[in-house]
Amino acid sequence: MLRGRNVSCGDVFSPREVGVRNGRIVAIEPLGAGLRGREVVELADDEFLLPGLVDTHVHINEPGRTEWEGFASATRAAAAGGVTTVLDMPLNSIPATVNVPALEYKRLFARDNVFVDVGFWGGAVPGNKAHLRELHDEGVFGFKCFLLHSGVDEFPHLEADEMEEDLAEIKTFDSLLIVHAEDSRAIDRAPHPEGDVYANFLKSRPRGAENLAIAEVIERTRWTGARSHILHLSSSDALSMLATAKRDGLDITVETCPHYLTLLAEEVPNGATAFKCCPPVREVANRELLWEGLLDGTIDFIVSDHSPSTLDLKDLGNGDFGVAWGGVSSLQLGLSLIWTEARRRGIGLERVVEWMATRPARRAGLRSKGKLALGYDADLVVFAPDDAFVVDARKLHHKNPITPYQGKALSGKVRKTYLRGTVVDFNSPRGRLIRRGEQ
């Protein structure tokens, strides 16, 4: 039993006692109700009890590129950041998760090596349409595709007509297509991003490329009646057409990431390839509009897009944005990053919980995750919003010590994380491999 003055209760925090039995929440009563338990946890006055966060966009990369990240290191980082459920992307592991044997192979590496619960996305690539239903039946949460080169040759991208075919296919079994939406033709015609000047890299991934691809996703979703989701939105230009699509009744959702909500193109130093990601971090005016999109509901939730690599792939010696791998490592830092920025804007912690736990769980179909409620998994986070710390990449659980947030002062510390009522100790991996519909 846990009791404290600041327990998440939907859109408010209230004094509550929370009873846990067999990994589930079985009682929530006002503080002072006198619930009893074999173990009683008294929260300090400065501690808030949150539901475990749900991060539906994580690249763990094992097997095949385990030197970039792995199940043990990634899930330790997740737990340290208050994330108790992650969904792993079908790349950059080798093989990519584009058929059932590849999924089973990946599960072999994950089993007994995860500190939080882990589920899997399948991949939608040219030629694997016949495998989509089989992957769905094996429990993937949906399918990811790219509309331009993915960055790795073993996961080729779809053309818009191929994406439409896959949307029509997955509609027959009510799955979800999640899309990296940048237009390949627009990127091909943009300037090459060579050199250490960030402004040149930014020109190589223009907003127009994102806008074109998102327009394609919207219309193909409209024509097929399928369910779709826009990954890592960085272009605020696309907000108006996404809002219109939602008003029209399309089943489409949108995510963005901490780097687009906290970093600024104007502040990226030359050669600082830790900041490189695709689509890119954009200008201050764009960032402000993304926050408006979150507040008005056009953007549904926030996830990390944790996309790590080895230090050498970041080309730290030369700082060439045209050569460096594009990806930001932030799985452990997301809650503190977003809370720091939200607090500065006068946004309450309850909204952060909604964006980083409740809504991603709902879209992925995780019925027992993302809320502190009766019958839900007792995935809980003890969070001290007034604590502060300075980011030190060497102290993070991520396998490779690089982050664009190095030296950044943040508010809010995760003091303890519970997975189904048991404290994560970072030594004993008690996470489970989860399947769609089984939670």
Side-chain angles (χ1 to χ4, degrees), residues 220-437:
R220 308 294 174 136
T221 300
R222 189 189 309 277
W223 301 343
T224 61
R227 301 167 60 226
S228 64
H229 175 74
I230 302 296
L231 297 166
H232 44 49
L233 180 71
S234 80
S235 171
S236 62
D237 296 348
L239 289 169
S240 58
M241 61 178 161
L242 286 163
T244 298
K246 290 186 171 196
R247 285 196 298 271
D248 288 348
L250 273 65
D251 195 343
I252 188 168
T253 48
V254 191
E255 71 185 38
T256 193
C257 307
H259 35 284
Y260 304 127
L261 296 168
T262 63
L263 301 176
L264 298 174
E266 293 91 338
E267 295 179 353
V268 177
N270 287 349
T273 53
F275 289 79
K276 180 181 176 180
C277 56
C278 300
V281 170
R282 303 192 188 276
E283 306 85 352
V284 60
N286 184 82
R287 182 186 73 175
E288 298 310 299
L289 290 170
L290 291 178
W291 274 99
E292 289 182 20
L294 267 172
L295 290 168
D296 68 22
T298 304
I299 299 173
D300 295 274
F301 52 81
I302 305 168
V303 291
S304 69
D305 187 12
H306 178 68
S307 186
S309 72
T310 57
L311 299 183
D312 62 307
L313 286 175
K314 277 295 189 179
D315 195 43
L316 299 178
N318 299 312
D320 189 333
F321 285 99
V323 173
W325 175 259
V328 169
S329 295
S330 63
L331 183 54
Q332 186 170 334
L333 298 171
L335 177 56
S336 297
L337 286 165
I338 295 301
W339 169 236
T340 300
E341 190 68 24
R343 183 183 215 176
R344 185 175 72 82
R345 297 166 182 273
I347 299 168
L349 186 56
E350 68 282 351
R351 296 299 301 276
V352 174
V353 170
E354 180 184 13
W355 291 328
M356 301 188 78
T358 309
R359 288 188 179 183
R362 182 187 307 147
R363 187 53 166 169
L366 289 156
R367 296 192 296 266
S368 64
K369 307 286 190 182
K371 290 172 68 176
L372 205 161
L374 291 176
Y376 277 62
D377 286 350
D379 299 344
L380 307 169
V381 178
V382 178
F383 185 64
D386 295 330
D387 272 5
F389 68 100
V390 174
V391 176
D392 182 348
R394 296 167 300 177
K395 296 180 180 178
L396 300 177
H397 289 278
H398 306 155
K399 184 166 284 189
N400 290 281
I402 181 170
T403 172
Y405 306 106
Q406 178 69 20
K408 186 177 180 68
L410 298 179
S411 296
K413 272 188 178 180
V414 173
R415 290 185 177 169
K416 195 174 291 185
T417 300
Y418 292 82
L419 184 67
R420 288 185 303 279
T422 299
V423 174
V424 177
D425 65 5
F426 302 96
N427 293 313
S428 304
R430 296 189 176 93
R432 295 177 181 171
L433 303 187
I434 56 177
R435 300 174 184 236
R436 172 196 46 79

